[in-house]
Amino acid sequence: MHSDANIPKQRKILRVGVIGSGAFVEQCHLPGLQSHPRARVVAVCGRRFEHVRSLASRFNIPAIHCDYRELLARSDIDAVTIATVNSEHATQAIAAFAEGKHVFCEKPISTDVMSARKMLHAAERSGKIHQVAFTYRYLFGVQELRRRIRRGEIGVPHQLRAHFNSWEGLLLDSPSIVGFRGKAALAGGGVLYDVGSHLFDLARFILGPIEVVTGFSQRIPRLKSRGRKGETSVETDDFSTALFRHANGVYGQWFVSRVAPSYGDKAHVEVVGDNGALRASLSRGSVDVLRMSSSLKPEWKELSLPEEASNQMPSCLGLMMRSFVDACLKGKLNGDVDASFHDGFAAQQALAAVTKSSARLPWVRLENK
């Protein structure tokens, strides 16, 4: 075991444990953390021993666990990242704070408002860093869009709208429905929770607090294959939409689907003002473009972004994980970009509002005569 006792304070190493061993841990958490020169992944935890052992071997991680409580009890870990099924986030995060760890948690932070509130209270009481994986905040186009709006380049904003379309939910082996995302008890919701959480956070990131929300979500009745285990029904929503109003009076709307074709960019967010509009693509960084339009020049003009925006790599993932390491080492989040559990809780409230509205939506019947 390495000792940090003789490392000068200004070069302190952050020792991290990773809870979860799925695809996103391999794509994002582990490579992102290990890309930071002052982070060391000490241990990784997953339920399947052989799988976790293989993962640890590939990433040169010295210790493995199959019980997250054993990982949290280690004295040689300063921080943890959580990338398990949504229904486990609250229990694991609260336990991590109780053990004095900084916590980075995947979105949505939980499956309901009550548990999300408990997570937030535990985070506040701990005095530790708490961060949520809202990846789109790290897009260069999104950050530039936010800066230009604040500088008044499109005048006074009056509408935000976002769109996300994909065929993924109709593929038999799609991550959107295979595993926990197709199970309501484990995921909480389908695209509403998976993508809607991002879009609610993005709207708040760009234009501030949201005060009222309505919307609906819908599932397409169908079966999915479970290999030798036969077939089972998809339990979570396939498309969802929301309408909302920010505290500053700006109206917003978004639509997400995993059962429809995309057009142009797979996803985007757009803000319209009285002097123009800005549209940023949404991805993990492989597509990072910002465009501008106005009533006098309606064609969309691509705006300049840093060179890294055009590298066609999922660069947001590394930026996000390194930001967590930086926050832990400095003792505070980067307020210009990082999302805290306060932001995660706000998104959870908005998701719950859509679910509630969907069940009570006052459809108006028309006379067809």
Side-chain angles (χ1 to χ4, degrees):
M1 181 181 298
H2 298 280
S3 172
D4 297 328
N6 297 320
I7 297 176
K9 186 175 181 180
Q10 67 270 23
R11 298 300 301 168
K12 179 177 173 61
I13 298 296
L14 184 76
R15 303 165 300 178
V16 187
V18 175
I19 303 175
S21 58
F24 201 58
V25 166
E26 190 163 354
Q27 296 167 6
C28 173
H29 286 230
L30 293 178
L33 291 168
Q34 292 183 335
S35 70
H36 196 296
R38 294 174 63 189
R40 181 189 307 134
V41 179
V42 173
V44 61
C45 177
R47 292 180 175 177
R48 295 176 293 156
F49 177 79
E50 291 299 332
H51 174 75
V52 180
R53 183 167 67 175
S54 173
L55 183 67
S57 176
R58 293 197 302 276
F59 284 89
N60 195 28
I61 300 169
I64 63 173
H65 296 276
C66 291
D67 187 333
Y68 73 90
R69 289 163 293 197
E70 293 178 0
L71 183 148
L72 293 178
R74 296 178 65 113
S75 61
D76 60 344
I77 288 179
D78 308 304
V80 297
T81 71
I82 298 173
T84 53
V85 300
N86 300 342
S87 59
E88 296 180 354
H89 290 175
T91 300
Q92 293 168 347
I94 291 170
F97 288 127
E99 291 286 352
K101 315 300 187 188
H102 304 294
V103 177
F104 177 95
C105 186
E106 277 300 322
K107 57 76 203 171
I109 62 171
S110 189
T111 55
D112 60 84
V113 172
M114 183 179 297
S115 58
R117 181 179 284 111
K118 291 178 180 178
M119 293 172 72
L120 176 57
H121 289 168
E124 292 176 325
R125 289 193 300 268
S126 74
K128 297 297 181 178
I129 294 298
H130 45 95
Q131 188 171 339
V132 183
F134 286 129
T135 316
Y136 294 155
R137 288 178 174 230
Y138 298 89
L139 286 161
F140 295 103
V142 165
Q143 293 181 29
E144 181 64 14
L145 177 148
R146 184 173 182 247
R147 283 190 289 267
R148 286 173 178 260
I149 289 172
R150 294 187 170 193
R151 291 200 299 261
E153 292 191 18
I154 61 169
V156 179
H158 57 77
Q159 184 185 32
L160 177 146
R161 54 191 182 185
H163 201 94
F164 179 103
N165 267 6
S166 171
W167 279 124
E168 291 174 1
L170 295 180
L171 302 176
L172 293 179
D173 59 349
S174 168
S176 297
I177 59 172
V178 173
F180 82 90
R181 287 186 175 85
K183 296 293 184 181
L186 300 179
V191 291
L192 170 60
Y193 273 51
D194 192 27
V195 183
S197 57
H198 276 302
L199 300 185
F200 274 131
D201 177 71
L202 199 57
R204 292 182 66 256
F205 179 62
I206 295 170
L207 293 170
I210 297 171
E211 61 179 12
V212 291
V213 177
T214 189
F216 74 89
S217 58
Q218 184 65 45
R219 176 179 61 88
I220 306 299
R222 68 195 187 285
L223 299 176
K224 65 177 180 180
S225 173
R226 298 179 63 198
R228 295 180 180 178
K229 296 181 180 180
E231 294 182 324
T232 184
S233 62
V234 176
E235 298 176 357
T236 56
D237 55 277
D238 293 302
F239 61 89
S240 183
T241 191
L243 299 171
F244 47 95
R245 185 178 70 238
H246 289 267
N248 60 10
V250 179
Y251 282 83
Q253 65 185 93
W254 55 249
F255 176 82
V256 299
S257 174
R258 63 186 181 192
V259 290
S262 61
Y263 53 91
D265 296 335
K266 179 178 179 180
H268 64 262
V269 61
E270 181 177 297
V271 180
V272 185
D274 57 13
N275 196 37
L278 289 162
R279 175 187 289 178
S281 58
L282 300 178
S283 75
R284 292 174 176 173
S286 57
V287 179
D288 194 350
V289 179
L290 179 63
R291 298 181 175 91
M292 189 172 187
S293 174
S294 70
S295 58
L296 297 178
K297 297 181 178 180
E299 67 280 359
W300 287 98
K301 176 186 176 182
E302 188 168 329
L303 303 176
S304 177
L305 294 174
E307 184 177 351
E308 191 177 351
S310 59
N311 65 9
Q312 298 184 333
M313 300 291 290
S315 53
C316 291
L317 304 183
L319 289 169
M320 180 173 66
M321 301 314 299
R322 289 190 293 273
S323 77
F324 175 62
V325 176
D326 287 337
C328 294
L329 293 172
K330 295 175 182 177
K332 64 178 181 179
L333 296 175
N334 179 349
D336 289 332
V337 61
D338 296 336
S340 71
F341 275 30
H342 291 277
D343 300 300
F345 178 69
Q348 195 79 49
Q349 287 182 300
L351 297 175
V354 173
T355 300
K356 183 177 180 179
S357 299
S358 187
R360 301 182 180 183
L361 198 63
W363 297 99
V364 179
R365 187 172 298 278
L366 304 181
E367 294 293 334
N368 294 309
K369 293 183 179 179

